[in-house]
């Protein structure tokens, strides 16, 4: 059996070991505030040896500006000492041998040593914890700033569909204040009744089977404002997981204005399409109907010529020839107009080897090519999907123009090439002809616009208008760059399709 003394001795040993090995810093002071005991952890924390601290006032370990107030608190404590945390609700700071000030948490204990009152301070350095708290606070602050300044409405809701986050833009978009809707069900607040089932099915599918049909993608649906009005929104719902909890974050943008603009654009395009059809019909009917009276005029002029061949004096013959020329020219114009309005009428898209199309065109133009001694270089061209007659006409007009508008004094040199682009083929037809002043680069594509008289260069001014219409029929464009006196390059694009082949 151990006697009382032995037990006391063992306890003392245990407490001493506890004191020496404690991972918390422990300081014992007397009523005067002088340090009596220091454990190794406190030596480490404050950077002083035990001998340097023993007998010194505890204020040695307090930052300068807090020393006086600490002294007062200490004296006050000894009037009614008891175990308690120190400075509850306040930030406490200590100071080490190097003068570094750091935040601490202190628990105070108390015991009597004979007549002496002793205070025990259990000190924890909380610098790391405070730093982590500061980082957390600042990241929370950043999140709040982002939420407040986001142009999107940001709404978070839990797996029961209850709203947990509702940023200021959500207030603007839906007309509800955050404190009015927190905890209420999303479906009830922003989703029109006829979408409730879809919304709930989506949620259940995700929760039960992790099906993510509508998650993580941009979708367009109809939402409901507080005033009951429905409006289109663009929405992305992202599933999230934090602190063992599943929830969803919805990023929402009101697209009413964009939809209205799209609708206006659509109406405008439809209107334009209708007007173009009307115009084409008008051109077709007008040119078709004009042919008949023209034929009559030409027929009777022919009769006049034949019947009054002998009697007609010089003037009559001259005037009759004027009428013949004019009506011939008018017939050509009317025919051109009719062709123009017919372009692409019976459209069938088919694969066209542009190499073959160009060779066919050149064989039709053999005379003009030979007469002008033209040099024509053709790159490898693709097989595209196009309208056969129209595509032939496109190449024919451009090549024959390059031959026609050649510079005197040398053979025309024509290069035909193509470049594949992301969405389309870019064709180029370059010549070394007379060129075109920049101010006419757009005008020449308008129907019947010419830069020369018919005596200088034959033609009616419809060729490039045809080319423009043909390029547009193939979802493309046509334009020119040119240096007067040096030559021109006509560019046109054709929409690229998966079936196209090149090289
Ligand atoms: P046309 O050849 O019947 O005059 P187009 O519509 O084909 O009608 O051409 C319009 C005008 O554009 C021509 O009158 C001519 O002035 C100009 N042009 C067209 N192609 C060329 C070219 N390769 N070089 C210089 N001018 C050209």
């Amino acid at each position: 059996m151990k006697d009382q003394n032995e037990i006391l001795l063992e306890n003392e040993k245990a407490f001493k070991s506890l004191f020496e090995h404690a991972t918390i810093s422990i300081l014992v002071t007397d009523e005067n505030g002088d340090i009596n005991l220091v454990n190794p952890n406190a030596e480490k924390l404050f950077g002083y040896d035990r001998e340097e601290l023993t007998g010194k006032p505890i204020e040695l370990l307090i930052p300068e500006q807090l020393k006086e107030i600490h002294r007062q608190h200490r004296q006050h404590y000894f009037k009614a000492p008891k175990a308690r945390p120190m400075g509850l609700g306040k930030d406490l700071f200590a100071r080490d041998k190097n003068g570094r000030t750091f935040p601490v948490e202190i628990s105070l204990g108390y015991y009597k040593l004979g007549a002496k009152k002793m205070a025990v301070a259990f000190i924890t350095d909380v610098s790391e914890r405070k730093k982590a708290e500061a980082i957390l606070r600042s990241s929370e602050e950043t999140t709040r700033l982002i939420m407040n300044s986001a142009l999107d409405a940001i709404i978070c809701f839990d797996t029961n569909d209850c709203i947990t986050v509702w940023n200021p833009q959500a207030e603007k978009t839906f007309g509800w204040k955050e404190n009015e809707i927190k905890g209420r069900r999303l479906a009830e607040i922003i989703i029109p009744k006829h979408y409730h089932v879809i919304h709930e099915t989506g949620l259940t599918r995700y929760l039960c089977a992790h099906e993510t049909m509508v998650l993580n993608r941009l979708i367009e649906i109809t939402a409901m404002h507080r005033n009951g009005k429905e409006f289109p929104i663009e929405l992305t719902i992202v599933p999230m997981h934090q602190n063992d909890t599943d929830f969803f974050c919805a990023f929402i943008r009101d697209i009413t204005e964009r939809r209205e603009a799209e609708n206006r654009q659509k109406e405008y395009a439809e209107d334009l399409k209708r007007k173009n059809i009307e115009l084409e019909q008008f051109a077709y009917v007008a040119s078709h109907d004009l042919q008949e009276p023209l034929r009559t005029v030409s027929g009777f002029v022919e009769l006049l010529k034949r019947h009054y061949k002998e009697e007609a004096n010089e003037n009559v013959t001259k005037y009759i020839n004027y009428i013949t020329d004019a009506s011939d020219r008018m017939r050509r114009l009317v025919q051109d107009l009719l062709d123009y309005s017919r372009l692409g009428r019976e459209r069938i898209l088919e694969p066209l080897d542009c190499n073959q199309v160009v060779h066919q065109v050149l064989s039709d133009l053999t005379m003009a090519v030979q007469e002008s001694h033209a040099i024509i270089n053709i790159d490898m061209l693709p097989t595209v999907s196009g309208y056969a007659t129209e595509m032939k006409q496109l190449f024919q007009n451009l090549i024959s123009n390059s031959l026609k508008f050649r510079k005197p004094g040398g053979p025309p040199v024509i290069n035909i090439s193509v470049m594949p682009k992301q969405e389309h083929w870019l064709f180029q037809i370059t010549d070394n002809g007379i060129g075109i002043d920049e101010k006419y680069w757009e005008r020449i594509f308008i129907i019947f616009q010419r830069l020369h008289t018919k005596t200088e260069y034959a033609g009616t001014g419809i060729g490039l208008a045809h080319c423009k219409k043909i390029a547009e029929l193939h979802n493309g464009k046509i334009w020119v760059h040119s240096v007067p006196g040096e030559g021109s390059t006509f560019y046109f694009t054709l929409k690229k399709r998966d079936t196209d082949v090149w090289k």
Side-chain angles (χ1 to χ4, degrees):
M1 262 296 271
K2 289 178 184 168
D3 67 18
Q4 196 62 23
N5 275 347
E6 269 178 326
I7 293 171
L8 271 175
L9 218 62
E10 268 181 18
N11 274 350
E12 197 186 313
K13 253 185 174 167
F15 278 116
K16 204 161 175 209
S17 162
L18 213 64
F19 182 76
E20 290 298 319
H21 297 107
T23 51
I24 194 163
S25 303
I26 308 173
L27 290 170
V28 177
T29 68
D30 58 24
E31 218 169 329
N32 298 326
D34 290 337
I35 299 168
N36 280 220
L37 292 172
V38 178
N39 81 337
N41 210 295
E43 287 181 283
K44 207 166 109 198
L45 178 64
F46 291 101
Y48 287 103
D49 287 339
R50 194 169 289 196
E51 296 73 40
E52 291 177 284
L53 289 176
T54 315
K56 300 279 164 38
I58 184 75
E59 277 76 27
L60 179 66
L61 306 175
I62 307 285
E64 199 56 45
Q65 65 276 25
L66 301 174
K67 276 186 179 162
E68 186 44 43
I69 186 95
H70 183 267
R71 207 169 282 129
Q72 290 167 19
H73 280 302
R74 174 165 57 74
Q75 283 158 4
H76 184 71
Y77 177 76
F78 276 107
K79 281 185 193 145
K82 61 172 190 262
R84 62 166 171 84
M86 188 173 155
L88 246 186
K90 289 191 199 116
D91 286 335
L92 302 177
F93 291 93
R95 181 177 183 275
D96 69 8
K97 192 174 177 180
N98 293 325
R100 176 182 77 103
T101 298
F102 54 97
V104 285
E105 258 175 24
I106 302 176
S107 256
L108 290 176
Y110 157 80
Y111 68 95
K112 265 186 160 175
L113 195 65
K116 272 168 84 178
K117 288 178 187 167
M118 308 299 282
V120 191
F122 299 91
I123 305 163
T124 315
D125 177 356
V126 290
S127 318
E128 290 309 314
R129 202 183 75 204
K130 292 272 176 195
K131 252 188 243 165
E133 282 172 2
I135 291 172
L136 190 69
R137 262 201 312 281
S138 109
S139 81
E140 278 171 0
E141 177 70 1
T142 312
T143 311
R144 202 178 54 77
L145 271 174
I146 294 172
M147 298 286 274
N148 289 356
S149 52
L151 286 179
D152 283 346
I154 302 176
I155 301 173
C156 296
F157 54 99
D158 63 20
T159 48
N160 293 320
D161 200 31
C162 291
I163 298 167
T164 51
V165 171
W166 184 262
N167 77 336
Q169 189 58 36
E171 292 192 356
K172 276 194 208 147
T173 309
F174 296 101
W176 294 94
K177 293 250 169 285
E178 188 180 9
N179 55 1
E180 294 172 312
I181 47 73
K182 265 224 175 142
R184 285 178 69 180
R185 301 192 58 229
L186 185 73
E188 175 198 331
I189 294 292
I190 70 160
I191 300 178
K193 266 215 168 65
H194 43 277
Y195 283 114
H196 281 192
V197 177
I198 300 179
H199 173 69
E200 268 148 31
T201 320
L203 194 64
T204 318
R205 276 195 178 159
Y206 175 72
L207 295 175
C208 298
H210 270 266
E211 267 184 35
T212 55
M213 306 250 281
V214 292
L215 299 179
N216 290 318
R217 63 185 59 152
L218 200 63
I219 47 176
E220 288 186 13
I221 56 161
T222 306
M224 190 176 62
H225 190 270
R226 183 182 193 156
N227 59 18
K229 231 167 125 188
E230 293 185 11
F231 60 100
I233 58 166
E234 198 174 70
L235 156 86
T236 309
I237 303 177
V238 183
M240 300 210 171
H241 186 84
Q242 195 183 34
N243 301 334
D244 275 343
T245 316
D246 281 322
F247 65 101
F248 303 91
C249 206
F251 301 89
I252 299 171
R253 189 164 289 190
D254 179 353
I255 54 166
T256 310
E257 277 178 26
R258 199 177 75 197
R259 268 287 165 78
E260 281 170 3
E262 279 168 6
N263 287 344
R264 275 199 301 275
Q265 188 83 16
K266 221 153 84 193
E267 275 169 28
Y268 178 71
E270 272 163 16
D271 198 37
L272 206 66
K273 202 167 147 196
R274 209 178 43 247
K275 283 195 175 127
N276 268 338
I277 292 173
E278 279 169 15
L279 212 63
E280 271 183 16
Q281 275 166 354
F282 168 76
Y284 179 77
V285 171
S287 46
H288 185 266
D289 291 359
L290 278 176
Q291 279 185 326
E292 194 44 44
L294 254 178
R295 250 181 246 127
T296 313
V297 173
S298 307
F300 278 103
V301 171
E302 264 318 296
L303 276 180
L304 268 179
K305 259 200 215 167
R306 253 188 279 145
H307 281 250
Y308 299 96
K309 210 167 158 190
E310 318 290 86
E311 293 121 83
N313 64 26
E314 207 181 310
N315 273 349
V316 173
T317 312
K318 201 161 81 185
Y319 299 151
I320 287 179
N321 284 341
Y322 283 155
I323 300 173
T324 311
D325 276 359
S327 56
D328 278 354
R329 184 161 170 73
M330 188 150 174
R331 201 174 45 246
R332 266 201 310 280
L333 284 172
V334 166
Q335 186 57 46
D336 281 350
L337 194 60
L338 195 61
D339 291 346
Y340 181 79
S341 65
R342 273 183 188 149
L343 268 188
R345 272 197 166 210
E346 281 118 39
R347 293 172 213 169
I348 303 171
L349 270 183
E350 55 186 299
L352 298 173
D353 180 350
C354 294
N355 303 291
Q356 276 178 20
V357 176
V358 170
H359 282 108
Q360 176 71 54
V361 167
L362 289 176
S363 108
D364 292 351
L365 294 172
T366 308
M367 285 283 279
V369 173
Q370 280 176 356
E371 263 170 33
S372 60
H373 304 289
I375 301 162
I376 302 177
N377 306 307
I378 311 162
D379 272 3
M380 176 65 89
L381 302 177
T383 295
V384 299
S385 162
Y387 306 113
T389 318
E390 284 78 6
M391 281 297 290
K392 189 177 162 204
Q393 201 173 348
L394 174 61
F395 280 108
Q396 173 145 353
N397 288 349
L398 294 175
I399 297 170
S400 60
N401 274 353
S402 292
L403 293 170
K404 180 161 65 168
F405 298 104
R406 65 178 177 268
K407 243 177 353 209
V413 180
I414 305 171
N415 295 315
I416 303 172
S417 60
V418 72
M419 271 201 287
K421 300 280 175 185
Q422 185 91 13
E423 303 275 326
H424 56 256
W425 298 101
L426 174 64
F427 287 81
Q428 297 183 31
I429 299 187
T430 305
D431 64 43
N432 60 341
I434 58 170
I436 305 159
D437 195 315
E438 190 173 347
K439 64 177 180 246
Y440 301 121
W441 286 2
E442 287 191 13
R443 206 171 100 184
I444 52 171
F445 293 99
I446 298 172
I447 192 163
F448 299 138
Q449 292 289 332
R450 312 197 68 225
L451 307 179
H452 309 275
T453 61
K454 65 178 192 306
T455 43
E456 284 175 288
Y457 295 98
T460 55
I462 201 157
L464 290 179
H466 273 166
C467 293
K468 183 166 183 280
K469 193 167 168 189
I470 294 166
E472 285 166 2
L473 277 176
H474 292 84
N475 299 307
K477 285 192 277 194
I478 186 166
W479 67 99
V480 68
H481 276 189
S482 178
V483 179
E486 283 186 23
S488 314
T489 301
F490 282 83
Y491 299 89
F492 68 88
T493 59
L494 299 180
K495 188 179 158 67
K496 231 159 96 185
R497 291 169 207 265
D498 294 343
T499 47
D500 294 352
V501 190
W502 192 45
K503 286 185 179 168

